[in-house]
Amino acid sequence: MYAAQADQERAAGLSGLERRARERDAVISTVVLVQASVEAFINWTHIQAAHTVNSMNFTKRAEAVTTSVAILNPAAEAFAWSEAENDFFTELTKWRNFLGHSSATSRDWLRELLVSRGEVPHGASDSQMMELLTAPLAARFVDTARTLMARASGATGTGAPFSNGAWHAPDELAEPLLEDPSALRSLLRVVLRRTGMLSLPADELSRELDQQRAGRIGLWVRWRPGRRRRPGRWAVDRG
């Protein structure tokens, strides 16, 4: 989205720098989180196999997945990362170290890789390397990581760690209502209209209320009168 907005601004004769900076920041977060996710998956595989890998080096722990897969699923065909997959681990690691560390060594390692691939010239500056942090790069990292981990998961026969809804309580998972943008929009519009913060035509308000009564939203907005001369208030109840 930020990349598209930057292009639109440039086409209109503006700099697009602010939107490009937002794109780059989002890509930085994506690269770091993709590397963390892949490393967590690899470590989970070793834990499941009770396989102790002495090295803490990310690429060496990735290579050791071959052994863990064999332990977890002896009947499966021998598993090994392809040359392209190993190259991805190297690229991912060097980008992550470049972004996460201030050492000259991390910057030089990434620069050497990018020069060898013809992506930057010899002696490229940090800024030139940062210009490669674009939405297509982020999408490629996410898609490649997903494909690799799915392949490894299939080979082990154990699946990946449970993470779907990991930050939600079980009862929250059974209430998808507020994750539905249209339902939330309808609810908020009624609340805002009733509190006087949003002006809607009567017919539009009626349509919103009809949707609620039809069960499409499952929440009700109603007035709770106050007691003993206290002011009343609007309340939201489950339908």
Side-chain angles (χ1 to χ4, degrees):
M1 179 187 69
Y2 292 137
Q5 291 173 349
D7 290 341
Q8 291 171 1
E9 288 189 3
R10 293 191 191 101
L14 303 174
S15 69
L17 290 177
E18 186 265 348
R19 290 289 142 179
R20 166 59 186 138
R22 289 179 180 270
E23 175 195 7
R24 186 185 59 212
D25 290 346
V27 176
I28 291 172
S29 299
T30 300
V31 172
V32 172
L33 291 173
V34 165
Q35 193 279 333
S37 299
V38 172
E39 187 167 12
F41 177 90
I42 288 170
N43 289 334
W44 168 260
T45 303
H46 295 323
I47 291 171
Q48 289 290 95
H51 176 207
T52 300
V53 183
N54 293 323
S55 175
M56 295 303 294
N57 181 276
F58 170 67
T59 53
K60 291 187 180 299
R61 294 184 72 81
E63 293 171 1
V65 166
T66 299
T67 302
S68 292
V69 169
I71 295 172
L72 291 167
N73 195 5
E77 295 182 4
F79 177 87
W81 300 114
S82 68
E83 182 178 353
E85 289 170 334
N86 280 321
D87 288 345
F88 172 72
F89 290 135
T90 298
E91 179 186 15
L92 182 60
T93 300
K94 290 185 176 182
W95 268 114
R96 189 268 175 215
N97 289 344
F98 170 75
L99 296 172
H101 302 293
S102 61
S103 68
T105 301
S106 295
R107 297 197 295 275
D108 290 342
W109 281 345
L110 178 63
R111 185 178 295 105
E112 290 170 4
L113 173 66
L114 297 178
V115 168
S116 69
R117 294 168 52 152
E119 296 186 42
V120 297
H122 287 280
S125 65
D126 290 359
S127 296
Q128 287 175 291
M129 293 190 287
M130 292 288 283
E131 283 304 307
L132 298 178
L133 291 169
T134 61
L137 180 139
R140 177 170 66 84
F141 275 25
V142 171
D143 292 341
T144 304
R146 181 186 292 115
T147 300
L148 266 60
M149 296 307 100
R151 192 168 82 79
S153 178
T156 63
T158 60
F162 174 78
S163 61
N164 183 26
W167 300 106
H168 298 275
D171 60 326
E172 291 177 313
L173 294 178
E175 300 287 345
L177 169 69
L178 295 183
E179 296 178 7
D180 181 347
S182 62
L184 183 58
R185 168 191 163 278
S186 177
L187 172 65
L188 291 178
R189 285 172 71 85
V190 173
V191 172
L192 292 174
R193 175 63 177 86
R194 294 278 185 115
T195 56
M197 298 170 62
L198 178 68
S199 178
L200 289 179
D203 59 339
E204 188 171 352
L205 177 60
S206 295
R207 284 198 301 272
E208 300 281 5
L209 293 173
D210 287 343
Q211 289 182 7
Q212 294 188 33
R213 296 190 182 99
R216 293 178 58 185
I217 295 178
L219 295 179
W220 297 85
V221 181
R222 65 186 181 85
W223 175 258
R224 287 183 177 175
R227 296 181 179 178
R228 297 181 181 178
R229 297 185 180 180
R230 291 182 180 178
R233 61 189 178 94
W234 292 106
V236 179
D237 297 335
R238 281 195 180 88

